[in-house]
Amino acid sequence: MKILLATQKPFAAAAVAGIREIVEGAGHELVALEKYPEQADLVAAVADVDAMIIRSDKVTAEVLDAAKQLKIVVRAGAGYDNVDLAAATAHGVVVMNTPGQNSNAVAELAIAMMIFMARTQFTPATGTEIQGKTVGIQAFGNVGRLVGQKAAALGMKVKAIDPFLPAEKIVEGGAEPAKDLEDLYATCDYISVHIPATPETIGSIGYDLITKMPQGATLVNTARKEVIDEAGLEKALEARPDLKYVTDVMPDNYAVLQEKFGLRVFATPKKMGAQSKEANVNAGLAAARQIAGYFETGCTRFQVNK
Ligand code: 3PG
């Protein structure tokens, strides 16, 4: 089988070497398309491939139409909002993710972003400490739990909410359950966002929620830019000069936010939460193993378009 590693944002060399070893060891061929400049390059590369390993690469209906031999796509990572699941299902293509494999890298970045903003973006201005503050975790999945553990170890109080978890599971995970989302926002000095981008969550964090945050609070988004209502965020930062926003997913209105709010906002130019060597290796090798396993035994564990 021909397996395409399509990574617009490339993996570390160690991850690519590990993927190659697994793929070739299972008797398949690996071709790599890295740092490609245009989506058309991806469309052209899929014509004769049987499987794909991707990151945030966009597997659209156009890609799926062009990939006549494609049987399986594994998103080496957690979020699969970049894959047109309905089109994949219509084409009979199995889609999987690799949950948990890059979570630690993202959780470390969320903590780093809290400290970066608390210390006024590492400028000499007097900042604050995160010890003794409360962090509210919005969605207590693989990343959210790790953020909670690390925050607790740093002396923070941890609250959380998750629409898919009962309160006792949140307690088991080491956090205090918030009464509801409004309560989480109203009672936490930091909110760390870990929700996926879905029709229900897109644009769901806006003016009303953000302005519920207490004096001097910071919103930390290492999830997806789409979950923020950017106009609402701008309005909230305007109305509340004490609030801050930090994100690993540059908002469309970032230039305006920077101009208006200076050091109260920060965005990474390209999503880098999962961009550690360890996360690359964990997620990349898991993806390769899942593809080899699918071709060998038909295993569909981690399939997301069932
Ligand atoms: C994920 O959903 O796993 C993260 O957002 C990482 O995305 P990336 O592989 O594009 O860095």
Side-chain angles (χ1 to χ4, degrees):
M1 300 281 179
K2 186 167 175 178
I3 297 166
L4 174 69
L5 173 65
T7 49
Q8 211 281 328
K9 182 173 56 187
F11 278 140
V16 179
I19 290 168
R20 185 172 297 282
E21 209 178 304
I22 292 167
V23 166
E24 292 178 354
H28 307 298
E29 180 195 354
L30 185 78
V31 286
L33 176 73
E34 297 177 312
K35 279 192 194 170
Y36 53 93
E38 306 285 345
Q39 180 70 7
D41 300 319
L42 181 60
V43 175
V46 297
D48 61 346
V49 306
D50 301 282
M52 289 169 77
I53 297 172
I54 56 160
R55 298 187 65 181
S56 289
D57 306 80
K58 291 184 175 35
V59 178
T60 58
E62 190 191 4
V63 171
L64 289 156
D65 284 344
K68 302 282 183 235
Q69 308 294 325
L70 189 64
K71 295 150 191 78
I72 175 168
V73 175
V74 180
R75 193 283 189 237
Y80 44 87
D81 47 308
N82 49 319
V83 180
D84 185 333
L85 287 192
T89 305
H91 282 82
V93 172
V94 169
V95 181
M96 296 183 189
N97 65 351
T98 65
Q101 298 292 346
N102 58 16
S103 303
N104 189 66
V106 181
E108 285 190 10
L109 184 73
I111 296 286
M113 285 184 145
M114 285 180 217
I115 298 174
F116 182 61
M117 295 308 276
R119 302 300 286 268
T120 58
Q121 299 197 19
F122 298 164
T123 60
T126 300
T128 53
E129 297 179 19
I130 62 168
Q131 175 173 263
K133 307 297 189 302
T134 303
V135 59
I137 306 204
Q138 187 178 356
F140 208 49
N142 290 315
V143 182
R145 275 166 200 262
L146 285 168
V147 171
Q149 286 167 16
K150 292 174 198 303
L154 290 165
M156 298 184 87
K157 184 177 167 194
V158 182
K159 291 181 81 167
I161 198 157
D162 191 304
F164 302 105
L165 282 183
E168 56 268 28
K169 289 282 172 203
I170 288 181
V171 174
E172 271 172 32
E176 179 191 323
K179 286 190 207 76
D180 51 32
L181 195 55
E182 285 70 24
D183 173 56
L184 190 82
Y185 273 72
T187 57
C188 293
D189 305 295
Y190 293 86
I191 293 288
S192 196
V193 179
H194 302 292
I195 52 176
T198 66
E200 293 76 37
T201 66
I202 287 171
S204 64
I205 301 171
Y207 180 84
D208 289 346
L209 264 184
I210 297 168
T211 52
K212 287 213 163 34
M213 295 175 83
Q215 190 69 23
T218 301
L219 179 62
V220 182
N221 179 14
T222 54
R224 290 288 183 272
K225 93 182 159 88
E226 289 81 4
V227 301
I228 305 287
D229 161 14
E230 293 183 359
L233 168 72
E234 188 180 330
K235 204 172 132 201
L237 291 172
E238 217 143 34
R240 289 278 308 277
D242 57 297
L243 297 181
K244 296 179 185 172
Y245 180 60
V246 58
T247 178
D248 184 29
V249 276
M250 189 189 279
D252 292 338
N253 62 348
Y254 188 43
V256 176
L257 296 183
Q258 274 185 306
E259 197 188 313
K260 284 189 175 173
F261 310 118
L263 291 178
R264 292 170 53 211
V265 295
F266 177 81
T268 52
K270 193 161 193 155
K271 186 157 60 110
M272 47 80 72
Q275 199 61 328
S276 70
K277 184 177 164 188
E278 294 88 342
N280 286 180
V281 168
N282 290 342
L285 271 57
R289 285 192 196 103
Q290 285 171 218
I291 289 175
Y294 177 72
F295 286 137
E296 202 181 321
T297 67
C299 176
T300 54
R301 194 175 170 210
F302 304 122
Q303 183 173 354
V304 294
N305 65 332
K306 274 183 185 162

